[in-house]
């Protein structure tokens, strides 16, 4: 029977294989101890003759023979030949195991598809499964010595119940010089077709499925027969065997210890027991014994397949499945987790350590504090304000000729917020009275400056491309493209409404939408407010010294907002170089349709920037 030791090596422990080294059944000691004793005995005989029998002239001749054998024995490629041979044998052994015929798939189909709980239906199902088991028995008799000893003749097969006397007559009357394991397969297919005509098998699809499974079962049987018929070429086995035995025959003489007084190279020590030579014999010969045991797994070795057990198991299980279990279905009842949405089977005390939470991803344990902490480090270190990709984009935009650029390029997946919003006003903690109208149209942001870049989500609206021949969009348009920024996580808390309103200026101030139903007076007020706000932004952009003092060591919300404002202004000044001049833009696009209030602005660059912001918002929506 196959030696199973899986439970002994279930857990890796310190020196865990020592328990396996002491086992005798199925071990290498049981296979090799005879050859090992013969090798040790022959080595000892030559050693005694050299030391006590030979004269001095005879010893000199023997010593030359030892050196010669030791020099040329290493030229035999024992490791190379044995390695390929054992690999081939092990792969062949495992493939034979995978092709053992198991009737489980067929018994499931027959039990469910062959109808009839009467005696005729029961007889039909049991006969079909008996033909299946008879096919495997006939193939096992031809390849396994253990099964052949159990069923040496057809009379023993009839006596065991796999074949009836009438079937035996038909089997023997069919004259064929070849192995007749395929005859029960033909009986099976004919009987299944008859059951389909009689209505026992109600669908032709079921009949086809049963026949396909029977063909697969027959393929497994023929594969085993093919492995038994065509083995590893004999010349390969002979080469490996001769290489191993020739090598160790030379080692019996070549590994003798010589007299140290003769000063032979490599013979400085005189030992009676060649420890490493014996280990080498144990390993190489044991390797050859492994191949010898696995080359035919249907023999009677300790690790050969238990074909007799397979026959007994398959017959008992298959007949039970098609007879006693046919339509014998237990009554359906509600399970114990019927009204429990959180299904958790219980654990014993011994298995309590194996109750672990589900794996939700490597970033599950990454909390919000770590994200904000990393963002704060980027603010405190101006050298790390922008990502590598963002700096490369700004560098490429500076090198582009100004006359070839009509409007700035806004990337959909930009890693720098300054490249998405070219005009970023100052973050004010307390808004002025002039900004009250614009604040009504600003979306709410989390007041924390870190949360703005880290946790806010940009959602783009109105993805229609802008018209190429309009440089400044009239404020009387009904729909102005806007960039809507969703609110941050509400669980972060409220840090103050003033900061939140000022932070929203970074994205939504130039993009204030106006409903068409507004009155003319209200529209003029909004335009005036927007113009005043652009003037304020431009003054601060042209005069960076007018901003409030920057302090990088503060920990309050005001200091953090100022730090973020410095980052925004640096990014805006870098990207400002790539913007075309208003005159060049007007020459390309023609006269603008900007309103009178914006045309009279002392800062001539603002209408162009407003157009670019609106166009960029529409392109990115």
């Amino acid at each position: 029977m196959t030696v199973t030791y899986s439970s002994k090596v279930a857990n890796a422990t310190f020196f865990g294989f020592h328990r396996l080294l002491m086992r005798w059944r199925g071990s290498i000691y049981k296979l090799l101890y005879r050859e090992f004793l013969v090798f040790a005995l022959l080595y000892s005989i030559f050693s005694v003759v050299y030391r006590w029998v030979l004269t001095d002239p005879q010893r000199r001749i023997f010593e030359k023979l030892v050196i010669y054998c030791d020099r040329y024995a290493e030229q035999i490629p024992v490791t190379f030949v044995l390695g390929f041979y054992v690999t081939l044998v092990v792969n062949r052994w495992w493939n034979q195991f995978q092709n053992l015929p198991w009737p489980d798939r067929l018994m499931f189909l027959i039990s469910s598809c062959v109808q009839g709980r009467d005696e005729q239906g029961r007889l039909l199902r049991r006969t079909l499964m008996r033909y299946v088991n008879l096919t495997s028995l006939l193939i096992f008799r031809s390849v396994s010595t253990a099964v052949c000893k159990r069923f040496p003749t057809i009379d023993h097969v009839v006596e065991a119940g796999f074949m009836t006397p009438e079937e035996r007559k038909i089997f023997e009357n069919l004259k064929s010089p070849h192995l007749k394991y395929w005859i029960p397969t033909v009986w099976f297919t004919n009987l299944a077709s008859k059951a389909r005509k009689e209505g026992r098998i109600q669908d032709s699809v079921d009949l086809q499925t049963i026949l396909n499974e029977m063909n697969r079962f027959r393929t497994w049987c023929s594969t085993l027969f093919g492995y038994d018929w065509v083995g590893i070429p004999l010349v390969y086995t002979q080469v490996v065997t001769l290489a191993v035995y020739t090598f160790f025959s030379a080692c019996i003489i070549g590994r003798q210890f010589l007299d140290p007084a003769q000063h032979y190279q490599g013979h400085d020590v005189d030992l009676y027991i060649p420890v490493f030579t014996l280990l080498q014999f144990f390993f190489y010969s044991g390797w050859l014994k492994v191949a010898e045991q696995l080359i035919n797994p249907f023999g009677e070795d300790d690790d050969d397949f238990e074909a007799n057990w397979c026959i007994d198991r398959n017959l008992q299980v298959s007949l039970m499945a098609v007879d006693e279990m046919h339509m014998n279905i237990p009554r359906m009842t509600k399970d114990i987790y019927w009204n429990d949405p959180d299904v958790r089977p219980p654990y014993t005390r011994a298995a309590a350590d194996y109750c672990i939470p589900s794996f939700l991803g490597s970033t599950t344990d990454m909390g919000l504090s770590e994200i904000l902490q990393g963002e704060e480090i980027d603010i405190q270190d101006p050298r790390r304000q922008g990502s590598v990709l963002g700096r490369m984009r700004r560098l490429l935009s500076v090198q582009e000729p100004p006359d070839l650029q009509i409007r700035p390029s806004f990337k959909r997946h930009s890693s720098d917020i300054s490249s998405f919003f070219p005009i970023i006003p100052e973050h004010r903690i307390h808004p002025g009275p002039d900004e009250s109208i614009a604040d009504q149209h600003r979306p709410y942001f989390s007041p924390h400056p870190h949360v703005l870049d880290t946790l806010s989500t940009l959602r783009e609206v109105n993805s229609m491309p802008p018209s190429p021949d309009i440089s400044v969009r009239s404020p009387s348009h009904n729909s102005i493209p806007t960039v809507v920024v969703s609110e941050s996580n509400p669980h972060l808390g409220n840090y103050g409404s003033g900061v939140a309103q000022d932070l929203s200026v970074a994205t939504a101030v130039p993009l204030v939408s106006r409903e068409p139903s507004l009155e003319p007076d209200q529209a003029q007020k909004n335009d005036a407010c927007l113009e005043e706000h652009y003037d304020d932004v431009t003054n601060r952009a042209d005069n960076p010294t007018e901003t409030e003092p920057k302090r990088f060591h503060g920990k309050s919300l005001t200091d953090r907002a100022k730090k973020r404002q410095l980052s925004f202004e640096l990014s805006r000044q870098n990207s400002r170089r790539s913007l075309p001049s208003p005159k060049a833009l007007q020459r390309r696009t023609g006269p603008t349709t900007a309103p009178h209030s914006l045309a009279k602005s002392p800062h001539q660059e603002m209408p162009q920037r407003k157009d670019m912001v609106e166009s960029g918002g529409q392109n990115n929506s």
Side-chain angles (χ1 to χ4, degrees):
M1 185 177 181
T2 303
V3 179
T4 303
Y5 58 92
S6 301
S7 60
K8 302 297 182 182
V9 294
N11 300 322
T13 58
F14 175 72
F15 203 58
F17 279 9
H18 71 282
R19 294 186 298 270
L20 303 178
L21 297 177
M22 299 296 106
R23 302 185 65 171
W24 175 258
R25 186 172 179 272
S27 64
I28 189 63
Y29 319 118
K30 184 179 179 180
L31 288 176
L32 196 61
Y33 76 95
R34 300 179 183 89
E35 289 85 352
F36 186 81
L37 292 178
V38 171
F39 178 80
L41 180 60
L42 293 176
Y43 183 90
S44 301
I45 292 174
F46 278 93
S47 179
V48 170
V49 170
Y50 167 71
R51 297 174 187 272
W52 304 101
V53 177
L54 299 180
T55 62
D56 289 341
Q58 293 175 346
R59 289 181 182 178
R60 303 291 86 82
I61 298 175
F62 183 79
E63 290 169 358
K64 293 181 181 180
L65 180 62
V66 168
I67 295 174
Y68 177 81
C69 292
D70 187 36
R71 179 186 305 172
Y72 289 98
E74 298 297 335
Q75 297 182 4
I76 301 176
V78 181
T79 305
F80 177 79
V81 174
L82 268 177
F84 277 98
Y85 186 72
V86 173
T87 302
L88 178 62
V89 170
V90 171
N91 292 335
R92 174 186 173 90
W93 166 78
W94 184 248
N95 289 334
Q96 291 184 67
F97 175 77
Q98 290 182 328
N99 285 277
L100 289 177
W102 302 99
D104 297 45
R105 298 170 65 98
L106 271 170
M107 72 184 187
F108 297 152
L109 290 173
I110 292 175
S111 179
S112 59
C113 297
V114 180
Q115 305 298 327
R117 304 192 64 178
D118 54 349
E119 185 176 356
Q120 183 64 25
R122 179 186 178 188
L123 178 61
L124 175 61
R125 289 188 297 271
R126 291 180 67 93
T127 304
L128 289 173
M129 288 311 305
R130 187 166 55 82
Y131 289 157
V132 173
N133 288 278
L134 178 60
T135 304
S136 62
L137 174 61
L138 294 178
I139 204 67
F140 278 135
R141 283 183 67 251
S142 63
V143 300
S144 175
T145 57
V147 178
C148 187
K149 289 181 179 180
R150 183 181 179 183
F151 305 99
T153 61
I154 297 297
D155 294 335
H156 294 83
V157 176
V158 175
E159 183 180 357
F162 288 90
M163 185 185 296
T164 63
E166 183 180 358
E167 293 170 351
R168 174 191 173 183
K169 294 179 181 179
I170 300 175
F171 184 84
E172 293 179 346
N173 290 333
L174 295 173
K175 302 300 180 180
S176 177
H178 308 292
L179 184 64
K180 297 187 291 186
Y181 73 94
W182 48 269
I183 292 179
T185 305
V186 178
W187 292 345
F188 179 94
T189 55
N190 293 333
L191 186 59
S193 300
K194 180 180 178 182
R196 173 67 182 97
K197 294 179 180 179
E198 295 177 355
R200 297 287 180 175
I201 300 178
Q202 298 180 357
D203 196 348
S204 298
V205 177
D206 296 338
L207 175 62
Q208 182 181 3
T209 306
I210 293 174
L211 296 181
N212 289 338
E213 290 299 329
M214 187 60 194
N215 287 329
R216 178 180 298 184
F217 186 85
R218 187 210 57 81
T219 302
W220 290 337
C221 296
S222 60
T223 303
L224 293 184
F225 180 74
Y227 275 114
D228 184 70
W229 176 32
V230 180
I232 297 178
L234 181 61
V235 292
Y236 198 4
T237 304
Q238 290 175 348
V239 166
V240 175
T241 305
L242 289 176
V244 173
Y245 284 103
T246 303
F247 175 77
F248 286 107
S249 298
C251 287
I252 293 176
I253 301 176
R255 299 298 176 86
Q256 294 288 338
F257 289 99
L258 304 182
D259 187 6
Q262 301 300 322
H263 302 289
Y264 293 111
Q265 184 179 2
H267 293 274
D268 301 331
V269 181
D270 186 12
L271 299 177
Y272 291 96
I273 302 175
V275 179
F276 292 99
T277 302
L278 294 178
L279 290 177
Q280 193 174 18
F281 176 83
F282 185 83
F283 297 147
Y284 284 175
S285 299
W287 210 353
L288 182 62
K289 282 294 180 181
V290 169
E292 181 182 342
Q293 185 180 28
L294 299 182
I295 194 171
N296 184 11
F298 293 101
E300 300 179 58
D301 297 326
D302 290 337
D303 280 319
D304 287 342
F305 301 152
E306 292 293 337
N308 284 317
W309 175 86
C310 293
I311 293 172
D312 298 339
R313 180 262 176 194
N314 293 342
L315 180 63
Q316 194 273 335
V317 171
S318 59
L319 292 181
M320 178 184 295
V322 300
D323 189 8
E324 297 180 8
M325 297 186 64
H326 174 67
M327 295 303 170
N328 188 6
I329 305 173
R331 185 175 60 89
M332 292 188 300
T333 57
K334 296 181 180 179
D335 55 85
I336 61 175
Y337 308 105
W338 182 261
N339 293 322
D340 188 3
D342 188 11
V343 178
R344 291 185 179 181
Y347 283 82
T348 60
R349 291 181 180 270
D353 295 337
Y354 302 101
C355 181
I356 59 177
S358 300
F359 180 73
L360 302 179
S362 58
T363 60
T364 304
D365 298 333
M366 185 176 178
L368 181 60
S369 59
E370 299 180 6
I371 301 176
L372 299 181
Q373 182 180 3
E375 188 71 14
E376 184 177 358
I377 294 175
D378 292 340
I379 296 175
Q380 293 178 0
D381 190 359
R383 294 174 297 179
R384 299 178 57 188
Q385 288 180 359
S387 62
V388 177
L389 183 59
R391 290 196 295 269
M392 290 298 297
R393 287 176 178 172
R394 290 195 296 272
L395 179 62
L396 294 176
S397 63
V398 170
Q399 293 178 354
E400 293 178 358
D403 55 345
L404 297 180
Q405 189 174 8
I406 299 178
R407 57 174 62 87
S409 175
F410 297 96
K411 301 297 183 182
R412 180 174 294 273
H413 300 287
S414 177
S415 60
D416 190 4
I417 191 171
S418 63
S419 63
F420 193 83
F421 304 109
I423 301 177
I424 301 177
E426 179 184 358
H427 295 266
R428 295 187 179 182
I429 305 301
H430 300 286
D434 297 337
E435 300 176 358
S436 59
I437 299 177
D439 290 343
Q440 298 176 0
H441 300 277
R442 299 172 185 170
Y444 176 77
F445 285 88
S446 173
H448 202 291
H450 300 179
V451 185
L452 174 64
D453 291 339
T454 308
L455 301 180
S456 299
T457 303
L458 295 179
R459 181 169 55 85
E460 301 168 355
V461 185
N462 191 5
S463 59
M464 295 297 294
S467 177
D469 57 347
I470 299 178
S471 59
V472 179
R473 190 175 297 275
S474 175
S476 61
H477 272 278
N478 295 337
S479 61
I480 298 178
T482 61
V483 177
V484 182
V485 182
S486 63
E487 298 182 5
S488 61
N489 194 342
H491 299 287
L492 298 178
N494 188 5
Y495 296 96
S497 60
V499 181
Q501 294 175 356
D502 289 311
L503 288 178
S504 63
V505 179
T507 56
V509 166
L511 308 176
V512 179
S513 61
R514 186 174 62 200
E515 299 295 335
S517 60
L518 294 177
E519 298 296 333
D521 296 338
Q522 184 66 24
Q524 292 179 1
K525 291 181 181 181
N526 290 345
D527 294 338
C529 181
L530 184 61
E531 178 184 357
E532 182 179 358
H533 181 74
Y534 274 104
D535 295 341
D536 188 14
V537 171
T538 308
N539 291 332
R540 287 197 300 270
D542 295 336
N543 300 318
T545 58
E546 293 181 3
T547 58
E548 297 180 3
K550 286 83 179 174
R551 293 188 300 274
F552 289 91
H553 302 285
K555 298 299 182 179
S556 62
L557 297 178
T558 305
D559 295 338
R560 294 180 180 177
K562 292 178 180 179
K563 296 173 186 177
R564 177 58 64 185
Q565 170 62 21
L566 177 60
S567 174
F568 289 158
E569 290 184 357
L570 291 175
S571 301
R572 185 189 62 79
Q573 291 176 4
N574 292 334
S575 61
R576 181 183 176 186
R577 302 175 186 177
S578 62
L579 298 178
S581 62
K583 295 181 180 181
L585 184 62
Q586 290 179 2
R587 287 197 302 268
R588 288 181 174 275
T589 59
T592 61
T593 58
H596 181 69
S597 59
L598 295 179
K600 292 183 178 181
S601 175
H603 306 282
Q604 299 297 329
E605 193 177 352
M606 289 310 300
Q608 176 193 0
R609 291 182 180 178
K610 179 180 179 182
D611 174 66
M612 291 180 180
V613 171
E614 293 176 352
S615 303
Q618 187 173 5
N619 290 335
N620 288 274
S621 61

